[in-house]
Amino acid sequence: MLSGTRARGVQPLRQRRVRPRIWILDFYGSAVGKKAVMAVTGIVLLGFVLVHMLGNLHLYQGAEKMNWYGEYLREIGEPVLPRTGLLWIVRSLLIVSFALHIHAAATLTLMNRQSRQTKYQGGRDYLAANYAARTMRWSGVIVGLFVLYHLMDLTWGMGGADFTKGHPYENVVASLSRAPVAGVYIVANLLLGMHIYHGAWSLFQSLGWSHPRFNHWRRWFAMAFAAVIVIGNVSFPIAVLTGIVE
Ligand code: HEM
């Protein structure tokens, strides 16, 4: 006689096809996983933006120092690594982080839209979270487009200004002495500051580091980080336009 389970058509465990599960993909498939990926890749990108701004302060030391710095970035790691070896390792990490950051943001947005529940959640907290998410989305898109323009301008030399490979000082001055371009850099960096402020504030929450006593410091950290980046980066086009850097 068949047992009750088999009689009802349920296969015994041994015969069931079990699809191998890759835990990291399962994790990334969840909202918590996507938020964690956004936070970790956000930290990598924040690190880059800070180091890049600090490096660009060489502009204030003149052409020789700035151009030396550009060259030095290509030589770090030699002779253990070939020339630009370490630079390409860092670039790869940045490209992967940037792509994952955008993918996680886009899929999280879709997930939220598909989730019926959100439609029925009311209240101020929901509205505030929704407003912040929308702000992050459009500021993120504009900053992404700015990075593309910036690479064309100062890395690939396709921005329409005089460009000499290996001469970042002259390239920055040639590009930013055009007032409309300097304006684009200023506006993009103000939006970047807004994006950084919200991002640096929420990344702690995404990683589960949230506590009422700690939240005060979180806000200060986010504000200070965004302010340092914005002040540093906006100072460059202003310095070129006013002739402080020429
Ligand atoms: C006014 C502010 C900025 C100035 C003056 C500036 C300057 C430069 C220069 C001169 C280079 C070329 C370096 C070289 O080839 O040696 C460069 C590359 C780059 N910049 Fe900026 N930058 C600014 C803001 C930003 C911001 C806000 C971002 C990102 C949000 C950014 C992302 C990049 C990236 C990804 C590269 C390519 C790095 C590489 O491939 O090695 N920059 N920048």
Side-chain angles (χ1 to χ4, degrees), residues 55-244:
N56 283 338
L57 291 176
H58 284 292
L59 271 173
Y60 293 115
Q61 294 180 303
E64 200 185 320
K65 285 271 167 55
M66 178 71 181
N67 292 344
W68 164 84
Y69 173 66
E71 183 57 22
Y72 168 72
L73 290 178
R74 284 155 176 83
E75 286 173 2
I76 312 177
E78 276 185 323
V80 178
L81 292 170
R83 190 181 140 78
T84 71
L86 189 68
L87 187 61
W88 272 108
I89 293 173
V90 175
R91 280 174 175 165
S92 309
L93 177 70
L94 281 176
I95 293 168
V96 170
S97 300
F98 194 62
L100 280 175
H101 198 74
I102 293 172
H103 188 265
T107 49
L108 196 59
T109 304
L110 283 179
M111 235 176 152
N112 283 341
R113 277 201 192 139
Q114 280 163 2
S115 140
R116 286 250 196 100
Q117 235 190 339
T118 50
K119 280 191 194 155
Y120 304 112
Q121 281 174 3
R124 253 189 349 188
D125 283 356
Y126 169 68
L127 288 178
N130 202 27
Y131 173 76
R134 265 210 317 269
T135 310
M136 288 304 272
R137 243 174 276 146
W138 65 258
S139 59
V141 169
I142 297 175
V143 169
L145 291 175
F146 163 75
V147 172
L148 196 65
Y149 169 73
H150 178 54
L151 287 175
M152 287 173 63
D153 186 30
L154 291 177
T155 301
W156 303 323
M158 293 154 59
D162 279 348
F163 182 85
T164 317
K165 222 171 163 221
H167 288 254
Y169 182 92
E170 289 80 357
N171 296 339
V172 169
V173 172
S175 177
L176 298 185
S177 48
R178 299 169 297 173
V181 174
V184 167
Y185 271 78
I186 292 171
V187 172
N189 274 289
L190 290 174
L191 292 178
L192 173 68
M194 212 165 86
H195 196 82
I196 287 179
Y197 171 65
H198 278 301
W201 158 254
S202 54
L203 73 84
F204 293 98
Q205 189 122 17
S206 302
L207 293 174
W209 302 332
S210 176
H211 188 278
R213 257 198 284 163
F214 171 56
N215 286 349
H216 174 68
W217 295 106
R218 263 172 71 192
R219 194 168 291 285
W220 272 105
F221 169 78
M223 223 183 284
F225 200 101
V228 166
I229 300 296
V230 171
I231 292 170
N233 277 347
V234 166
S235 80
F236 302 128
I238 292 177
V240 173
L241 281 182
T242 53
I244 294 170

Side-chain angles (χ1 to χ4, degrees), residues 24-36 108 111:
I24 198 137
L25 292 183
D26 275 353
F27 180 59
Y28 185 60
S30 70
V32 173
K34 287 184 198 306
K35 282 185 187 167
L108 196 59
M111 235 176 152

Side-chain angles (χ1 to χ4, degrees), residues 14-29:
R14 193 163 32 90
Q15 290 173 15
R16 236 185 267 158
R17 282 180 62 195
V18 180
R19 231 195 274 149
R21 296 177 78 93
I22 303 170
W23 74 267
I24 198 137
L25 292 183
D26 275 353
F27 180 59
Y28 185 60

